[in-house]
Amino acid sequence: MFKSLWLRRFWPWSLGAGLLLAVVWLQGQRLQIMQSTDAQPLPILQLQDQRDQAQLLLRRRMPTFGYDNMIANWTFLNFLQYFGNMEVRGQLGYRLSPEFFEVIVDRDPRFFMPYLYMSSSISIYSGMPERTVEIMDRGLAVMTPQIPENSYFVWRNKAIDQLLFLGDSEGARQSFEIAADWADQSNDPDVAQLSRQTAAFLAQNPSSREAQISGWIQVATNAVDDITFDLAIERLESLGAEILWAERGSVSVRYRTDDDEATPAD
């Protein structure tokens, strides 16, 4: 009787602790393997990729007993290791990037930082912008203008993917308008004004070059790696923008509008 009662009262905590210990162990195993990837042949690296995929699937399905935030944090750290291992990614690609974000958003949809990496890692590197928008939609469904802080940037990032990678100018216009409303409610008038201007450009001209320039400026400004930054600068130049100043985190350009007047933008 006593044993049965103890199991009923404490088995969830025990199982949860066991799962967390298992995740910690898997994290240590992954780190050891990543530290020795230079000496690993391609088949071994492919096997590790398959193992990573299985672990991510497990994290999506296993009960967490209230430790969802911790699982999301660990998964994001795993992603940063995965994304930053350029030598291995050059051989295997970035096909698992969406899987990392599936886990993170399912476990902690209000975890803001991962959304800054989604467009680069999924849309640009993995070539799957539709997955980026799908995952962002899942997170936005539970966000508010104030929670998490700066949540309006997620709407802007979604709009950028819709405009630049999916060619969905109407969807992008709607996302920019929502971003403007949320920025207003978050007391960020500069972002609100910029978002409304871009939405207005798209309303008047769905293929607006000015809107695309604005979008690529945001991609360049928020780039988390040199490849994404260089791609954005290349696209800006192809749209006829003159680069006045370009560093990651700060980009200024000048371009000519349809009325042939030089217009600065940053």
Side-chain angles (χ1 to χ4, degrees):
M1 176 69 69
F2 176 81
K3 182 177 180 180
S4 175
L5 177 62
W6 188 92
L7 287 175
R8 285 199 301 269
R9 291 182 60 187
F10 295 100
W11 78 265
W13 181 90
S14 301
L15 181 56
L19 287 171
L20 289 173
L21 288 174
V23 171
V24 171
W25 179 82
L26 290 172
Q27 171 76 350
Q29 293 294 106
R30 173 182 171 83
L31 182 59
Q32 291 178 10
I33 292 174
M34 290 189 66
Q35 289 173 340
S36 60
T37 51
D38 292 344
Q40 298 290 349
L42 182 59
I44 299 299
L45 296 178
Q46 292 172 332
L47 184 62
Q48 174 61 26
D49 232 29
Q50 295 172 8
R51 180 178 176 179
D52 289 344
Q53 187 173 22
Q55 290 181 15
L56 291 168
L57 181 61
L58 173 64
R59 292 184 195 185
R60 288 192 67 187
R61 295 181 175 179
M62 73 180 189
T64 60
F65 304 102
Y67 292 99
D68 296 88
N69 292 0
M70 188 175 295
I71 297 297
N73 290 342
W74 276 336
T75 303
F76 184 51
L77 292 175
N78 290 161
F79 163 75
L80 293 177
Q81 293 173 332
Y82 172 90
F83 186 74
N85 196 332
M86 303 302 291
E87 182 172 345
V88 175
R89 299 281 67 79
Q91 297 181 68
L92 299 181
Y94 296 80
R95 70 183 186 90
L96 294 186
S97 287
E99 311 301 327
F100 284 97
F101 290 106
E102 293 271 7
V103 175
I104 295 168
V105 173
D106 284 352
R107 295 303 186 188
D108 189 2
R110 297 182 180 89
F111 185 10
F112 177 74
M113 183 64 68
Y115 290 95
L116 302 180
Y117 288 79
M118 280 192 193
S119 292
S120 294
S121 61
I122 303 179
S123 299
I124 295 178
Y125 283 86
S126 300
M128 294 183 281
E130 69 286 346
R131 289 287 297 278
T132 307
V133 171
E134 176 188 346
I135 296 171
M136 285 186 180
D137 277 339
R138 206 177 306 167
L140 287 167
V142 299
M143 292 184 188
T144 69
Q146 289 82 29
I147 303 175
E149 187 178 0
N150 300 323
S151 57
Y152 50 88
F153 276 113
V154 181
W155 279 108
R156 282 185 57 83
N157 287 348
K158 176 187 173 182
I160 295 299
D161 275 77
Q162 291 172 302
L163 175 64
L164 301 182
F165 304 122
L166 294 178
D168 181 9
S169 59
E170 175 58 21
R173 182 189 65 78
Q174 294 175 5
S175 295
F176 277 122
E177 288 181 347
I178 296 174
D181 291 339
W182 284 32
D184 273 335
Q185 296 179 59
S186 300
N187 297 317
D188 194 335
D190 292 337
V191 173
Q193 181 182 9
L194 179 61
S195 299
R196 284 201 175 88
Q197 288 176 345
T198 306
F201 289 148
L202 291 173
Q204 296 173 2
N205 180 7
S207 60
S208 170
R209 183 172 64 94
E210 293 179 50
Q212 293 181 57
I213 288 174
S214 177
W216 282 114
I217 288 174
Q218 179 173 326
V219 172
T221 300
N222 297 327
V224 296
D225 60 277
D226 291 336
I227 293 177
T228 301
F229 179 79
D230 292 341
L231 173 63
I233 296 301
E234 178 184 328
R235 295 296 175 85
L236 284 168
E237 291 176 336
S238 71
L239 289 167
E242 176 188 354
I243 309 300
L244 302 177
W245 177 259
E247 284 187 357
R248 281 172 57 182
S250 179
V251 177
S252 179
V253 306
R254 179 170 58 199
Y255 61 93
R256 294 191 176 277
T257 60
D258 294 336
D259 58 7
D260 202 33
E261 293 181 358
T263 303
D266 50 37

